[in-house]
Amino acid sequence: MSKASLFVAALLFAVCAPLAAAEVVVGTNAEFPPFEFTDDNNNPIGYDMDIIQAVADAAGFSVRIQNQAFDTLVEGLESGKLDAAISGMTITEARKQKIDFSQPYYNAAQVIVVQEEGEGYETIEQLKGKIVGVQLGTTGAGMVETVLGEDNPNLKQFRKYNEVFSDLKLGRIDAIVVDLPVAQAYMRRLSGLRISSPRMSEEEYGIAVRKGNAELLQKINDGLTAIRANGEYDRITDKWFQEN
Ligand code: ARG
């Protein structure tokens, strides 16, 4: 084949392949850098967005991203509004009652973030009596609930991490419990903050699907296996996490 006809063939494939492939509606909460956040045009970008696109390319489906509140993703899957979710979502027993997870694709941990000059807390127990910010529906929120109690007014549950971190900067809250890589991303954007605890949990992120959707789960797992084998997973991880 000539170069020109190869080019035309590639172009035709690029235009037509997505039409043939099934479209998978993937929920996320683009408030969680570097996993998912928005660019200047409000488009979700980040590690998870690259991972799901690479998985979809490898497994032969196309993706439509739906950006919504984190605490609505599980119900979105249950109601069938979403086919899948990728959102730095920790695989937990409680969530596994309601949704199914892919093989893990990232390891994270909860940590405590405080003002650089302020008091540092090293354990969840030390947050008793403090005003603590979390994101609604997260594992971090669950950890803080175990010591502060669910209805404690000192437990401030936000929908957006931007607001949690600006409240810490302003001194409206004493501490934040959040996933380590997200704490690091915010500390690169904002000065005057520090991580005061060690890793307080070991968590694995998975891609979620509606319970019982074995076909899509299989495609996603196959896609993850393929991108680990072909180097794409490492390329994406290096792109977003320089330390790896
Ligand atoms: N890993 C935590 C959890 O699963 C926090 C995830 C928050 N993700 C987000 N995109 N806001 O609960």
Side-chain angles (χ1 to χ4, degrees):
M1 246 196 278
S2 72
K3 260 200 176 145
S5 50
L6 252 180
F7 176 75
V8 170
L11 196 69
L12 272 175
F13 182 77
V15 171
C16 300
L19 296 177
E23 186 180 66
V24 173
V25 181
V26 180
T28 196
N29 170 244
E31 306 279 347
F32 200 61
F35 297 96
E36 44 267 333
F37 54 106
T38 50
D39 67 12
D40 294 340
N41 300 317
N42 227 22
N43 294 316
I45 55 168
Y47 180 79
D48 282 352
M49 300 299 99
D50 286 357
I51 289 286
I52 194 66
Q53 192 55 57
V55 164
D57 291 345
F61 61 86
S62 68
V63 162
R64 179 152 57 85
I65 297 293
Q66 179 98 10
N67 187 10
Q68 59 188 69
F70 183 76
D71 64 309
T72 65
L73 291 173
V74 173
E75 70 196 42
L77 289 166
E78 288 183 301
S79 69
K81 286 191 186 134
L82 300 175
D83 300 311
I86 186 163
S87 202
M89 193 185 280
T90 303
I91 303 171
T92 67
E93 283 310 314
R95 287 178 182 150
K96 272 161 69 179
Q97 307 296 311
K98 300 178 176 171
I99 55 179
D100 289 337
F101 282 101
S102 70
Q103 54 172 282
Y105 69 91
Y106 195 85
N107 295 333
Q110 298 302 305
V111 293
I112 299 172
V113 184
V114 296
Q115 285 193 357
E116 201 149 56
E117 307 298 317
E119 199 176 332
Y121 311 104
E122 283 161 32
T123 66
I124 278 284
E125 288 71 32
Q126 288 173 5
L127 296 176
K128 222 175 186 143
K130 304 299 166 201
I131 305 177
V132 186
V134 295
Q135 189 186 40
L136 197 59
T138 57
T139 50
M143 276 183 96
V144 181
E145 272 173 19
T146 61
V147 286
L148 294 198
E150 218 174 310
D151 301 321
N152 191 326
N154 281 351
L155 173 56
K156 304 277 183 220
Q157 311 217 35
F158 297 78
R159 282 230 152 78
K160 296 175 187 249
Y161 277 109
N162 282 347
E163 292 170 9
V164 192
F165 279 89
S166 70
D167 267 27
L168 180 62
K169 283 282 292 180
L170 293 168
R172 292 188 182 143
I173 58 177
D174 299 313
I176 297 173
V177 174
V178 64
D179 301 52
L180 173 61
V182 177
Q184 289 167 330
Y186 272 99
M187 285 166 47
R188 260 176 246 126
R189 295 180 176 185
L190 306 166
S191 59
L193 301 178
R194 71 186 164 104
I195 295 171
S196 62
S197 77
R199 300 167 73 97
M200 300 188 295
S201 61
E202 289 305 326
E203 304 185 12
E204 293 180 320
Y205 295 168
I207 301 171
V209 300
R210 196 174 318 131
K211 204 160 193 35
N213 191 349
E215 194 188 327
L216 180 57
L217 191 59
Q218 184 70 49
K219 282 189 190 166
I220 290 172
N221 278 327
D222 290 348
L224 280 169
T225 302
I227 66 167
R228 283 186 194 274
N230 70 14
E232 191 65 4
Y233 175 89
D234 287 340
R235 196 191 60 73
I236 295 169
T237 303
D238 287 346
K239 171 176 165 193
W240 293 102
F241 301 96
Q242 300 88 336
E243 64 271 20
N244 287 319

